[in-house]
Amino acid sequence: MPTQYLMAIAIGPVQEFIATARRSRDLWFGSWLLSQMSKAVAEVIVKRYKKESLIFPASDDPNDLDVGSDFTVVNKIIAVVENPEQLAKEIKTALDTTLETMRQRAYKDIPRDEYFDKDGEDRAIKQVADLKEFFWAAVPLNDYRDSRELVEAMLAARKNTRDFRSTKDWADAVPKSSLDGLRESVIKDKAYDDLSEEELRRRYRVRPGERLCGVGLLKRLGNLREDDSFFSTSHVAALPLLSSLKDDCEPVVKQYIEKLKKHGISETDLNEVPLPPSKKAYPKAFQRNDGHLLFKERLRDYFPGKSQMEKEKRKLAEDALACFNKQAFGQDKEPLAYYALLLADGDRMGAVIDAQPDKDRHRALSLKLSEFAKGVRKIAENEPHHGSLVYSGGDDVLAFLPLHTALDCARALATDFQDKLNEFKDAESKSPTLSVGIAISHHLDPLSDALELARSAEKEAKRVEGKNALCVKVDKRSGEVTTVKGKRGELEERLEYFTLLHIAEAVPDGAAYELRDLAERLKELKDAQQPEAIRILKRKRGGHGQESLDKKVIERLEALVEKVELAELADELIVARLLAAAKEQSGWTVKMAKDKLNEEVEQ
């Protein structure tokens, strides 16, 4: 019988490749491309051996490894094989073929002319071919746990011994890519002098002054599924307000769009929300129009000129928006400018995997992880959360969410994760849990900043003792980032309670800032904080200063002041104010919040 080997494979680059994103589409495509490359690796293994040889990831559905399937394969693969050296050669060939096929499809419609000539294309091809990283290690399969520990250590050592390839084949004395500054631009400088903004966008999906290397062009133009499947950050930020749009407003929407076209915005530039054919637009009345049309500052992007005619057109477009808002929402109001970026990761996964006695049990765990990952899209994107999933592979999730549904979605994901993984334990008989980081960022801020904030939030959640934690970070553009974190159920409960209090006008907005100021002034006198905080809360008035705070509200806040650090409580009230504003835009009223608070008291 041939010797069996346990083989561990890593595909890259990962973090730096995904993070170099100026648009949500860059982010999505970077993740998607890596998944497609990992699928190609998994497919080689399954075809050469059988699906049971694939330990992680694992799937019993052969369609999961098809290009274009919703199944996401993470960049690490573990399998039981018989000839790892020969298999590695086949995998390398499959990776080269997959990457080249994607590049050809992405580049097929680029005009070959003085702006993207043969030299530029040759350089782009070499840059893309030089992109992939492929590491592997294999050990004879004996005791499964010992073999896995050894092969993991060998793979880590191999990854630390990086290959350094020469860049002389594609380097040149031209501007670097605007995405990451790593590789030279392949679009001639004169294109930015000769071509209009619209032509630059149509040909290369670049803005004026934005340079792209061959890999950047692949990110912008590559999409085998041809549905993009991704919302803009402005659209996600607009969703709380859009969700209150009634179905009978469809004629009002059409009237607004026609006015924008009449004032000079082409149908192509209006942008549609990318959706698969099988998915219905949300909300129905807004059809597939992008929510960025509800922001005045985004309308101004269509009229960048300083001529009187441009100014008049811009004014007419803004008037059309004001008219739409009054007809659709009863008043001229803009959406909140903030959206949520959710990043989740499983807790104790390494310990739980270490506790699995053999490959069959490890594969059973992988199957459950795949089941969770495949269900994430439904949770994040469907009713009632209406987000946009970037990726869900293994125990990792990254998704854009509107503010009014972000907490609910985080809870639904964590609950589903625990339900599916409950049968698997670590050495201390503890099952894996899911910790979640949520970054709340301005829709016009650089996407790389939002991604960094989300990673920071996830890391802080993972540092909470016992984990199963939540961390929310709010970057309001001015001032420092506000951070709240804690055990998921406890923090969620407080944030939801404070959100209801804000909507019900049961606490004044200034209370949080007064408590924060108190915590700072008395940080060396902890014993004095609690009585002073209670005194402040008792003299506060709700209902815009017209009503005394309800006795039950004061009692619960007093109890929380005793239990939670005052500075943390103040920050939670501040974060809840923003969440309350989003819920108010989605249709929550003072009465609804008061009724909900009364229900909770009765329970």
Side-chain angles (χ1 to χ4, degrees), residues 542-560:
H544 298 290
Q546 301 301 310
E547 303 169 3
S548 299
L549 290 192
D550 188 276
K551 184 181 175 185
K552 294 188 179 70
V553 171
I554 291 177
E555 288 175 354
R556 186 160 176 181
L557 289 175
E558 283 179 357
L560 287 172

Side-chain angles (χ1 to χ4, degrees), residues 22 175-178 192 197 200 206-212:
R22 301 187 80 182
K176 300 274 190 180
S177 170
S178 303
Y192 298 90
E197 288 184 26
L200 284 170
V206 296
R207 294 171 179 158
E210 188 179 41
R211 265 57 175 185
L212 290 182

